[in-house]
Amino acid sequence: MSGTVLGCIADDFTGATDLAALLARSGVRVKLHINVPDIDPGATDSDAAIEIIALKCRTIDPNLAVEQCLNAFDWLKARGAKHFYWKYCSTFDSTAEGNIGPVADALLTRLNAEQTLYCPAFPENGRSIFMGNLFVGQIPLSESPMRDHPLTPMRDSNLMRLLEPQVKGNVGLVDRLTVARGSDAIKNQLQQLLSDGVSHTIVDAVADDDLYAIAEASYQLPLLTGGSALAMPLPALYAKAGWLSITDTSPHKESVDAPAIVLSGSCSDMTRQQVAHYLTSNPGFRLDPIKLAGGGLDEAKNWLLEQTLDTAPMLYATAEPEAVADAQEKLGTQQAGELVENALAQLAVTARNQGRRRFVVAGGESSGAVTQSLAVSQLDIGAEISPGVPWTYCSSDDSRIALSLKSGNFGAVTFFDDALSSLA
Ligand code: ADP
């Protein structure tokens, strides 16, 4: 028993670390690559049963997303993976065109498979699905703060309606009443849907027990899709099937007790609270896309260079929905986002060159920009700071650094302090 069993593709970098953290809870070794590795997949034996490739393809053109995901798939397959997981956000973040559906369709075709399921539920973080509708806590997705997301505003809670225009085949549902009857009932229902010509099936889940039953019913399918939580039971099921062995390892740990920085490009409700809380006792500089467009980055860079290394300053573009809408109206949505992402990316490099080694980053797209600018190629997964947000360790410009990539709505109000104190 060696080599890669499960190959995962994540549509953003925070999602990839979230998935890695939940899989690593089982004790199985997980390897996380940033982008498709530049090495021949057959050159060395994989020492990890699960390998994840993190891409930044959530909001790009669907054709480009498909191309990137198929490249990742081919690499993982050449690595030996027999089963595949397509990971997206627990709030089903997507544009009207994709990219959840187009990528799933393309992966099914490449696998010569007829059916997959979609389950973004993450009960530990308050994401549940009932009768095909996604809830954030007790609120339907479309009424949650996700309705104001700068890039993927979610204005419908019904996952079947969201997925239908994105895929070629029919969309079905295994509802909570079936899920509650256990894995055999789920399996039968999936079989029935397949005979009815349904390739894409949303599956309800409101609690971890539901996810275990769904995973038990479906782990033999070549392709599963969802948030991180559905993947959590897979290592134990694979071990039971004799596909891998679990070596009970504790999370990776390195000593990186060095100067820190917080970078936030998320405008999600929880991040807004976290930023406000952190500013009550730490220095901060607000990045305004309108000012960036007019005056460039010098003011922010100079401010950062003035901050002594015994402080952990925060640079943030995090703003209220009205300010985001204003910037988008003046600059265009894409340009406003790119200005912020480029600024965070360049400031991360300035911070590293200044000697900072612990980076806490908020926002999926923002984390992607920062990780790419730090030229990181692989992350070792450490302990979780909060569910789905681990510390990770990597090399950047010949230095070891610690990176925590936080998805917008994850973590408690004190997250930034929690993260830094957990490594101090
Ligand atoms: P989340 O994890 O909350 O979804 P992301 O980083 O994925 O966060 O997405 C937030 C997007 O909003 C990024 O593209 C970022 O550049 C953009 N953004 C951040 N602040 C602003 C702002 N003040 N005005 C306009 N766009 C912004």
Side-chain angles (χ1 to χ4, degrees), residues 12 14 58 93 149-151 265-268 271 286-289 317-319 323-324 327-328 333 336-338 340-341 362-367 406-409:
D12 79 347
T14 48
R58 180 169 300 166
D93 300 14
H149 190 279
L151 302 180
S266 161
C267 297
S268 298
T271 306
R286 176 157 180 250
L287 299 164
D288 177 347
T318 306
V324 173
Q328 291 181 333
T333 300
E338 276 173 17
V340 168
E341 290 180 34
E365 297 294 324
S366 310
S367 293
K406 186 195 82 75
S407 167
N409 278 312

Side-chain angles (χ1 to χ4, degrees), residues 92 94-102 105 162-168:
F92 214 69
S94 45
T95 65
E97 297 80 33
N99 292 324
I100 294 175
D105 253 335
L162 287 168
L163 186 61
E164 247 152 25
Q166 295 188 22
V167 292
K168 292 194 204 100

Side-chain angles (χ1 to χ4, degrees), residues 186 210-220 224 230-231 233-234 237:
I186 300 167
D210 294 342
L211 295 171
Y212 282 92
I214 297 162
E216 195 173 15
S218 62
Y219 76 94
Q220 305 209 14
L224 293 177
L230 174 65
L234 295 177
L237 288 161

Side-chain angles (χ1 to χ4, degrees), residues 97-155:
E97 297 80 33
N99 292 324
I100 294 175
V103 170
D105 253 335
L107 292 173
L108 278 177
T109 306
R110 197 66 139 224
L111 281 159
N112 212 5
E114 290 178 302
Q115 183 180 43
T116 190
L117 56 81
Y118 300 74
C119 186
F122 193 167
E124 233 178 308
N125 275 334
R127 315 298 195 255
S128 55
I129 310 165
F130 184 69
M131 298 300 163
N133 291 280
L134 186 74
F135 289 81
V136 176
Q138 297 181 342
I139 306 170
L141 176 65
S142 62
E143 293 168 35
S144 78
M146 279 305 297
R147 65 171 286 107
D148 294 318
H149 190 279
L151 302 180
T152 51
M154 301 306 288
R155 301 280 166 93

